[in-house]
Amino acid sequence: MDQPETIAAVATPVGTGGIGVVRVSGPAALTIAQRVFIHPGGQSCTALQSHRVYYGFVVDGAGERVDEALLCYMRQPRSYTCEDVIEVSCHGGMFTTQRVLEAVLAQGARIAEPGEFTKRAFLHGRLDLTQAEAVIDVINARTLASHRAAVQQLDGALSRYLRTLRETLLQVSMYLEAGIDFPEEDLELVPTSTLVEQLETVAEQCRQALATFARGRVMRDGLATAIIGRPNVGKSSLLNALLGRDRAIVSPHPGTTRDTIEDALDIDGILVRIIDTAGLRVSTDAIEQEGVRRAREAMARAELLLVVFDGSTALTADDHLVLAETAGKPCVLVRNKGDLPAAWTQGDLARPDIPCLEVSALAGTGFEALECTLRQQAVGQVSLGQDAVLLTQERHRRSLDLAWRDVQAAAQGLRQGTPLEFVAFDVTDALQHIADILGESCAGEVLERIFSRFCIGK
Ligand SMILES: Nc1nc2c(ncn2[C@@H]2O[C@H](COP(=O)(O)OP(=O)(O)O)[C@@H](O)[C@H]2O)c(=O)[nH]1
Ligand SMILES: [Mg+2]
């Protein structure tokens, strides 16, 4: 195989900062370090020891000092990529990091693609694919829940769980193969009922993990929530009160909100992506009609609707239109303007099965209960980090679901006396789906799709 190329990138964000890090990985990393880095006295650094930090200067090809810096050399395989790695911590700032990078490139490295460092860590077996995916999630996490879920996955919680399933399946598979190869021996090494039991246990474990996906996905990506209601009930006021700042324009004129406005709310570690919409009503105004169309679009995309009513005026035909349009979707009903005398009771909404909360967006009352209900709708009663294993990504869910079906089919086949060859096929397929999640047999384009979501330098 060809020597891999040596790659380099600025690993810290673009812009000014206290420190900027230029990272280099590959067989030429050490030679490059020796050419671009000098000790304070000007001597070149011929004898760098691994995992030690050196103080000195970065020089360009002409010998000009580019910056004062710290250098760390990490000899393979004890590095992020399992290759020789050098990291230069120089002064932050577009120009400095760029010049240091250029000095490194001039010595034979090439610019790294997004995610290429992590891809190399994966290809060298330091991380499996679920862990590599977790690296992006750790970087992108915006709330405690998403961060915890990502750190847990990076730590290998999902991988360990999958490997345990695989261990059992491999054992079953071994006994099945023995039964296929030596049928006449009638060797009941293990009774069929035990194999069925083992398969059923694996199926149950798959089912339990799959059941965490709804929650895991919300922990990772947040819950898309749309505020819906007729004009003037206080939707924009509610958004502002939830966010604690004046994000949307509030006015006594119905039809003020024309476009959808999206923002994010962190409720006790859970990300709620909240969308304020134009009031639903029949209108002849072209712009308002477009606003209403967008409101309906947001409603269709949302996973939860906050359906808002004005508690201080009698319910109108538009309110009933809103009730009809939101029926059957996950909803929380909000009776706003609780600071004013009530003009109707909750029973008038005729939706006894759905939580209905009274708030005043103006006075700021009722929000604790509302946030509590929102969080409850998002992830249920669990506290963060309670699950032993948490599925957060559609890719994992899809493959595990396929594995689950195969394992169930295998168990049923064994119970019904299906020829062992067919049972073994199902087990092999299940093993394949598990291997897919771990990235052991992924096609190049799958890997490309995953790693292209990374930032440069990671
Ligand atoms: N008294 C009272 N007025 C409110 C409350 N929430 C909103 N309003 C008023 O109702 C009007 C419409 O509010 P807005 O948020 O623009 O409603 P939207 O059309 O549903 O977005 C404004 O004059 C607000 O000040 C509330 O809780 N109490
Ligand atoms: Mg509004």
Side-chain angles (χ1 to χ4, degrees), residues 230-237 248-251 253-259 261 276-279:
R230 72 161 165 83
N232 237 25
V233 292
K235 297 180 297 301
S236 300
S237 305
I249 299 173
V250 167
S251 102
H253 304 292
T256 301
T257 308
R258 297 297 182 86
D259 207 346
I261 297 177
D276 181 26
T277 64

Side-chain angles (χ1 to χ4, degrees), residues 201-218:
T201 308
V202 171
E204 175 57 18
Q205 285 167 331
C206 291
R207 193 194 60 76
Q208 284 175 9
L210 287 164
T212 66
F213 178 66
R215 186 164 60 243
R217 204 193 49 69
V218 169

